[in-house]
Amino acid sequence: MERSLPSSDYLTPKAFELDRESIFAREWFCAAREEDVPGPGDHRVIEYAGESLLLVRTKAGVLKAHYNVCRHRGARICDSDARWDLQLRGGIAQGMIRCPYHSWCYSLDGDLVAAGGMGEGPAFDKAAFGLYPAGVACWGGFVFLNLMPGEAPDFGEALGEAPRRLANYPLEDLRTARSIDYEVGANWKLILENYNECYHCGPVHPELCALVPEFRRNGGMHLDWELGIPHRDGATTYTRTGTTDRACFPGLSEEEKVRHKGELLYPNLMFSVSSDHAAAFILWPMGPDRTRVQCRFLFHRDEIGKAGFDPLDAVEFWDLVNRQDWAVCERVQRGIGARVHDFGHYSPLEDYSLDIRRYVTDRRQRLRGA
């Protein structure tokens, strides 16, 4: 039996602020899919860890990320003015980023190109007033950002073994057919811990265990997660029946055609793949006891283009399993607030859950050494 992180790590604003500084501000985090910004000039406003970022695709088709703050007086460039029942002139349009306050204009690459009344010449060097950049990297169609690109860890190291383990899956060819946002009353670390073990599957997920009976035995610890998780006989995918009319992804091995794989990319992407679809869970920590989870259901673009395409068999099954998970995570969040509960325990069937403890501790030590 191993102790978990102290209960206060999941409960207090102080601990959440420490997570923000040691993890959210410094690690690569999943922010979007490349399909969200498909063409030049397309953009998304990303709100994360108390910061606002602009994710844009430049005229050359390159993804860039900038802090959503003008270099002149610090005004938000893209924002809602709904409280005042108006929309100030500014934002991103016609291939330009324009501040609504004094109309300073930037290229999609973040370079300052116009600042009214400031003149030209050595007295005012536009090159010194570009938008503050954030780091951008892509893998498998996912877009990852980093708030401190000058100090960002190596992106390949952040991905770990996921690219190798999922090399046969056509991840870049997947598209979002449906998305569900969940507001979960639990700390982000509790949600990751829950995803990282199946000791709870027997009591919490009867429908899932009917599809994967081995989850009932020893919390799945005996299973070869590298090779993939086998379904019951005759089942090939994560639907209630274990079957579907959709074709398998091209390029899969014979084992991958009948098995399921899962990856956890710290700090905020939980990713599960079946033979015909994937479920991506992007976590947006909102406070010590609140996390928004965006669940995106991904299918091959060729399959989505077929007449009669219907993702509901996968969506409805995942939604059931998700709501079961969120319910128990919220019970843990409420329970650990008891005055008698200083920390939890990991059983030998939850060894993988220890990863979150090691991950958090390591990042805090790095912060102290910075």
Side-chain angles (χ1 to χ4, degrees), residues 66-79:
H66 317 290
Y67 276 82
N68 185 15
V69 54
C70 181
R71 287 297 304 275
H72 175 218
R73 294 277 293 281
R76 281 282 177 91
I77 296 171
C78 292
D79 211 348

Side-chain angles (χ1 to χ4, degrees), residues 151-163:
E151 303 177 24
D154 179 78
F155 182 61
E157 291 183 7
L159 293 178
E161 293 296 312

Side-chain angles (χ1 to χ4, degrees), residues 26-27 153 157 361-370:
R26 297 170 183 270
E27 299 293 306
E157 291 183 7
T361 301
D362 177 70
R363 269 58 186 180
R364 290 178 180 176
Q365 289 175 344
R366 292 185 189 180
L367 179 63
R368 287 194 292 268

Side-chain angles (χ1 to χ4, degrees), residues 13-241:
K14 180 179 179 181
F16 187 75
E17 181 61 25
L18 186 55
D19 287 344
R20 188 202 308 270
E21 290 304 312
S22 62
I23 297 173
F24 306 153
R26 297 170 183 270
E27 299 293 306
W28 290 99
F29 67 92
C30 184
R33 291 279 296 174
E34 291 190 66
E35 63 183 293
D36 298 338
V37 281
D42 290 333
H43 70 281
R44 282 287 182 97
V45 178
I46 306 294
E47 307 286 347
Y48 181 77
E51 301 290 353
S52 183
L53 302 173
L54 302 177
L55 175 65
V56 302
R57 194 173 291 277
T58 69
K59 293 179 180 179
V62 177
L63 284 176
K64 295 277 189 174
H66 317 290
Y67 276 82
N68 185 15
V69 54
C70 181
R71 287 297 304 275
H72 175 218
R73 294 277 293 281
R76 281 282 177 91
I77 296 171
C78 292
D79 211 348
S80 172
D81 305 300
R83 191 164 82 90
W84 303 106
D85 193 27
L86 53 82
Q87 183 64 52
L88 296 177
R89 294 177 60 195
I92 302 177
Q94 299 179 329
M96 297 290 290
I97 302 174
R98 182 185 184 207
C99 176
Y101 198 3
H102 298 92
S103 291
W104 279 31
C105 293
Y106 305 84
S107 70
L108 297 178
D109 292 278
D111 300 320
L112 179 64
V113 296
M118 296 300 295
E120 300 288 345
F124 179 65
D125 182 9
K126 289 180 182 178
F129 291 92
L131 294 175
Y132 297 107
V136 183
C138 297
W139 167 74
F142 291 102
V143 180
F144 297 80
L145 303 182
N146 187 281
L147 297 179
M148 301 174 64
E151 303 177 24
D154 179 78
F155 182 61
E157 291 183 7
L159 293 178
E161 293 296 312
R164 179 186 61 79
R165 286 195 285 251
L166 301 181
N168 290 339
Y169 292 83
L171 302 183
E172 293 184 0
D173 293 331
L174 305 189
R175 299 293 182 267
T176 303
R178 194 69 59 88
S179 183
I180 301 177
D181 278 15
Y182 302 92
E183 296 288 338
V184 185
N187 186 274
W188 67 282
K189 296 189 292 292
L190 290 180
I191 296 172
L192 295 186
E193 284 181 314
N194 179 77
Y195 181 81
N196 227 20
E197 53 92 351
C198 210
Y199 186 29
H200 73 280
C201 289
V204 175
H205 301 304
E207 296 83 2
L208 178 59
C209 288
L211 179 64
V212 187
E214 288 296 316
F215 277 164
R216 293 196 185 97
R217 186 162 67 90
N218 295 328
M221 285 295 293
H222 61 289
L223 294 171
D224 186 342
W225 294 83
E226 177 90 9
L227 184 62
I229 307 307
H231 307 93
R232 66 168 182 259
D233 289 344
T236 62
T237 187
Y238 265 30
T239 62
R240 191 179 288 271
T241 65

Side-chain angles (χ1 to χ4, degrees), residues 258-278:
V258 294
R259 291 173 179 256
H260 179 91
K261 292 186 178 182
E263 293 289 341
L264 175 54
L265 275 65
Y266 292 108
N268 77 322
L269 177 61
M270 308 185 305
F271 189 50
S272 297
V273 288
S274 294
S275 61
D276 67 299
H277 73 273

